[in-house]
Amino acid sequence: MKDVERQLEGYVRQATRGLRGPRRQDAQLELRGALEDKIHRHRLLGLDEHAALTTALRDFGSASAVARDLNAVHTLPTVYRGLLLAGIGTLLGWQAVAQVPMVRAIPDPQELAQTCQHDEAMLSRMSLSDAAALRLKLAQPGARAKLEADCRAMIPAPVNTLLSLADLLAALRKGGIIVNTIPGFDGYLQLTFPGRKDIQGLDLSGSTKMIGGQAYLQAAPLVSLLRHMLPSDVTLRLSGIDNPVLEIGPARVQLGTAATPVKATDFYLFLLLEVVETQLKNLSQTSVELAFVFDNNDPQSPKLKLGAPDQALFATISNARLVAKSNATAKEYYLLRVRAVSGGLLAAPKGRIVNTPAELIAATAKGQEALLVYRLNAADLRNLKLTPVPAKSLQPVP
């Protein structure tokens, strides 16, 4: 604790050198507050105190660069300084953002075209009685177009599931990584990290799509692929919830932009999928399969009240699709979601809350709708930690 305070104070003193008197005191107060806020946010993501401080300082950049910017602002006449700087925290925030290259994202056009498409694939996922009733409606003139339009009007904004490959390569190179591509093999990269002579192969080709002559990557599996293909001594860290910053060795990359946002919660899905599915299979007497649901910010989603700070991460597993009266030929799954707490509430599907995976399996066998909630510690992407949350500490919100 004292070591963290010493590092923090040392950074603040170095970053405010050149300022004098009340100006330096004001700058130190603002800078210390901004840093403490950053540290607090990284602690919420599961980092320990030292790691949170290191990440916060990296976000702000070198103390010399901060000192240069602060001197430029605080040596201006007061009237201009007031217009330029609505608090030093604003300047520092923009500086931290400017240092991180962004990767644009778009929704998948093919998925958008299939959304609410009332075809046989959709009907096969419904109960026999509901499918029969819908077929009668679709047989009426103009009914299909109206039903599909009404359906699209009700769903939330599309999720940006694709990332620009060109933006990602530019960000890696800006971070000091040598990136070579092979003509004709979009998505296959050869990386050389600073201080190393070995070449790391990174095969993203299975997740690459060409849209409008540009290469895009499926966003969700990206972090999982990096974890499996890069050496364990290469830093791999994800911080933040909205448009998170991904660290790959020395490179820092913001995934998504203000205009095309993505959520960190979707990247954790792939990392957890295999872990949770294996856990359930070991407890079940029958076959178990898991699917995931992207975070689409649906305001109508049911909520749970729990004693956790905002941005704390949780994973939920629901058996609702398995126990529903569905078409006998349709394949159903346990559904995995990862969500962050917002306003003290967690978006989660309905169901009787159970305490353990074994209770979830037992409820499924009895045809009872149930929900298992895990607290997710994502500080180490190579070793995510799940802790079941007791049912008594979760309260459904009417």
Side-chain angles (χ1 to χ4, degrees):
M1 181 68 177
K2 290 183 179 179
D3 184 49
V4 170
E5 291 176 357
R6 280 197 299 269
Q7 289 186 57
L8 181 60
E9 287 302 318
Y11 182 93
V12 170
R13 284 196 302 271
Q14 190 177 1
T16 55
R17 68 185 187 278
L19 298 176
R20 297 289 182 268
R23 289 181 177 179
R24 186 174 193 186
Q25 293 175 1
D26 290 344
Q28 288 182 340
L29 185 64
E30 290 278 0
L31 176 57
R32 189 179 294 106
L35 277 167
E36 288 174 348
D37 180 67
K38 276 274 188 184
I39 292 169
H40 174 68
R41 291 176 183 274
H42 288 304
R43 290 298 305 276
L44 293 179
L45 295 173
L47 299 184
D48 62 34
E49 191 128 23
H50 282 85
L53 172 66
T54 301
T55 306
L57 295 180
R58 191 183 298 121
D59 288 343
F60 277 90
S62 71
S64 299
V66 174
R68 183 177 61 249
D69 289 339
L70 291 179
N71 275 279
V73 171
H74 279 266
T75 53
L76 288 171
T78 304
V79 61
Y80 295 115
R81 192 165 69 242
L83 293 172
L84 244 176
L85 185 60
I88 297 172
T90 304
L91 169 69
L92 297 172
W94 279 110
Q95 177 190 348
V97 170
Q99 293 175 348
V100 181
M102 300 179 185
V103 178
R104 291 164 295 174
I106 63 170
D108 190 327
Q110 185 177 357
E111 291 178 3
L112 286 178
Q114 293 174 347
T115 301
C116 293
Q117 191 170 338
H118 287 51
D119 54 13
E120 283 302 316
M122 178 183 186
L123 293 168
S124 69
R125 295 191 295 268
M126 302 174 66
S127 67
L128 295 174
S129 58
D130 287 346
L134 185 54
R135 282 192 177 90
L136 289 176
K137 287 184 179 180
L138 293 173
Q140 300 172 11
R144 181 181 297 275
K146 184 178 185 309
L147 285 170
E148 293 183 354
D150 290 345
C151 172
R152 292 191 179 97
M154 292 174 62
I155 63 175
V159 178
N160 294 308
T161 58
L162 299 177
L163 298 172
S164 166
L165 179 59
D167 286 358
L168 178 62
L169 300 187
L172 294 177
R173 289 176 175 131
K174 185 175 181 180
I177 301 172
I178 299 173
V179 182
N180 290 316
T181 58
I182 299 177
F185 294 89
D186 290 319
Y188 185 82
L189 313 178
Q190 293 179 324
L191 310 180
T192 304
F193 291 88
R196 302 177 64 139
K197 295 182 179 180
D198 56 323
I199 297 175
Q200 303 298 327
L202 181 60
D203 187 3
L204 305 177
S205 59
S207 301
T208 303
K209 285 190 172 187
M210 296 299 296
I211 298 174
Q214 300 292 320
Y216 288 87
L217 291 171
Q218 290 180 328
L222 174 61
V223 176
S224 181
L225 291 170
L226 292 171
R227 185 180 71 163
H228 283 95
M229 295 184 186
L230 295 182
S232 59
D233 60 341
V234 172
T235 301
L236 190 61
R237 185 180 294 118
L238 193 65
S239 57
I241 301 297
D242 297 305
N243 298 329
V245 173
L246 175 64
E247 294 180 49
I248 308 171
R252 301 179 72 245
V253 185
Q254 179 179 310
L255 304 176
T257 67
T260 60
V262 300
K263 284 187 168 291
T265 44
D266 292 339
F267 295 95
Y268 296 123
L269 287 170
F270 259 81
L271 296 173
L272 292 176
L273 201 62
E274 184 179 345
V275 174
V276 175
E277 191 170 74
T278 300
Q279 188 179 63
L280 294 178
K281 282 181 178 178
N282 291 338
L283 294 168
S284 178
Q285 301 298 319
T286 59
S287 63
V288 169
E289 293 193 58
L290 200 65
F292 57 80
V293 182
F294 285 122
D295 192 346
N296 61 3
N297 281 329
D298 184 0
Q300 303 301 320
S301 174
K303 304 290 192 298
L304 293 174
K305 186 176 182 180
L306 70 174
D310 281 6
Q311 296 197 351
L313 292 167
F314 289 82
T316 64
I317 308 170
S318 169
N319 69 353
R321 293 287 295 270
L322 284 165
V323 301
K325 299 294 183 182
S326 61
N327 189 326
T329 62
K331 195 171 188 178
E332 297 296 358
Y333 310 84
Y334 286 95
L335 290 182
L336 170 68
R337 294 170 174 85
V338 177
R339 300 290 185 267
V341 174
S342 178
L345 301 177
L346 177 71
K350 293 180 180 179
R352 177 176 64 88
I353 301 171
V354 295
N355 295 289
T356 65
E359 290 183 20
L360 179 65
I361 293 291
T364 305
K366 296 175 182 177
Q368 300 170 350
E369 194 171 305
L371 177 71
L372 177 63
V373 181
Y374 286 104
R375 177 71 181 260
L376 171 60
N377 183 335
D380 183 359
L381 288 177
R382 302 181 192 276
N383 184 27
L384 299 182
K385 296 179 180 178
L386 291 172
T387 306
V389 180
K392 63 182 180 181
S393 63
L394 299 167
Q395 180 183 346
V397 178

